[in-house]
Amino acid sequence: DAKTTQPNSMESNEEEPVHLPCNHSTISGTDYIHWYRQLPSQGPEYVIHGLTSNVNNRMASLAIAEDRKSSTLILHRATLRDAAVYYCILRDPGGGADGLTFGKGTHLIIQP
Amino acid sequence: NAGVTQTPKFQVLKTGQSMTLQCAQDMNHEYMSWYRQDPGMGLRLIHYSVGAGITDQGEVPNGYNVSRSTTEDFPLRLLSAAPSQTSVYFCASSYSRAGGLGYTFGSGTRLTVV
């Protein structure tokens, strides 16, 4: 699976939008972009995924660059419960290594 | 509540002891997997299963065994625990191997080997 690059940490204020960037310049045409988050002392939690088009769900939005070499996870109104490590992961459903390849992710800090 | 259940939540073993980490899911997921997470690191895949009776190795399989006799259960066995196996272990399941609908993770087992 191709590699992703994320900032080590980001800080934001409660009730403000948060934009979490991810670079994946070597993404292949069949790689899906997945986002997971891990709250303290818990297992990872699926957030959202997409291929080419922007995606929205109840948790977040995923904005994918036109060339697909980068993407941004958008939390529209952060709460203290959103403080977590966010992982951007590429996954080719048709091949490549099995499972999810987790990097170190972005540690999101939310200030009250 | 539907999801992935892991037991025990905490365990301390002495070097050389054996134990089984339990994982059960009630979502009728075909795909199940085990990960370990070391401090400050991302998760690494140990073993996985695409259905009952079928298992395969992941990135870090040495020192671990698995079996899948039912769709619901996927236990992870440590045959002879070593301090290097001190870690947090997560079980995950998914509707399919591709994980297109997302993987559901358990809350983890924190294992310390002394």
Side-chain angles (χ1 to χ4, degrees):
Chain A
D1 292 323
K3 183 181 169 66
T4 63
T5 304
Q6 299 177 252
N8 289 333
S9 66
M10 289 184 63
E11 201 167 310
S12 184
N13 295 320
E14 197 176 11
E15 298 187 4
E16 291 185 355
V18 179
H19 291 238
L20 294 162
C22 181
N23 288 322
H24 28 77
S25 58
T26 59
I27 190 171
S28 75
T30 52
D31 282 331
Y32 280 74
I33 303 160
H34 290 249
W35 283 84
Y36 282 75
R37 71 180 185 180
Q38 187 172 21
L39 279 64
S41 301
Q42 294 190 28
E45 175 186 27
Y46 168 80
V47 177
I48 200 167
H49 78 283
L51 182 62
T52 57
S53 304
N54 294 344
V55 185
N56 300 296
N57 66 21
R58 63 174 180 83
M59 289 181 70
S61 295
L62 176 60
I64 301 172
E66 197 168 333
D67 63 5
R68 300 210 326 126
K69 293 185 177 182
S70 65
S71 60
T72 302
L73 179 71
I74 302 166
L75 307 179
H76 294 287
R77 194 165 166 268
T79 69
L80 295 178
R81 286 193 297 267
D82 292 320
V85 178
Y86 286 78
Y87 298 98
C88 170
I89 299 168
L90 301 184
R91 178 88 177 101
D92 178 359
D98 232 88
L100 299 172
T101 301
F102 287 80
K104 293 189 177 181
T106 296
H107 184 201
L108 177 63
I109 299 164
I110 304 296
Q111 297 289 355
Chain B
N1 291 337
V4 177
T5 302
Q6 291 185 237
T7 55
K9 293 193 182 306
F10 301 93
Q11 183 70 49
V12 179
L13 287 180
K14 293 182 178 178
T15 298
Q17 285 185 319
S18 63
M19 80 160 294
T20 299
L21 280 63
Q22 301 292 344
C23 175
Q25 54 90 8
D26 58 2
M27 298 170 284
N28 203 31
H29 283 172
E30 288 295 324
Y31 185 87
M32 297 185 74
S33 53
W34 277 101
Y35 292 82
R36 62 176 287 173
Q37 184 173 33
D38 300 315
M41 304 285 290
L43 282 72
R44 291 183 293 169
L45 183 65
I46 304 172
H47 283 285
Y48 65 93
S49 169
V50 298
I54 306 169
T55 64
D56 208 341
Q57 297 180 351
E59 180 187 354
V60 288
N62 292 340
Y64 308 96
N65 277 355
V66 292
S67 61
R68 182 100 180 265
S69 56
T70 67
T71 300
E72 295 77 21
D73 300 298
F74 190 45
L76 178 72
R77 278 183 286 277
L78 282 71
L79 299 178
S80 179
S84 60
Q85 294 178 303
T86 293
S87 189
V88 182
Y89 291 83
F90 291 101
C91 180
S93 73
S94 176
Y95 176 74
S96 69
R97 185 174 188 173
L101 299 178
Y103 291 71
T104 301
F105 284 81
S107 57
T109 294
R110 190 173 298 271
L111 176 68
T112 302
V113 182
V114 298

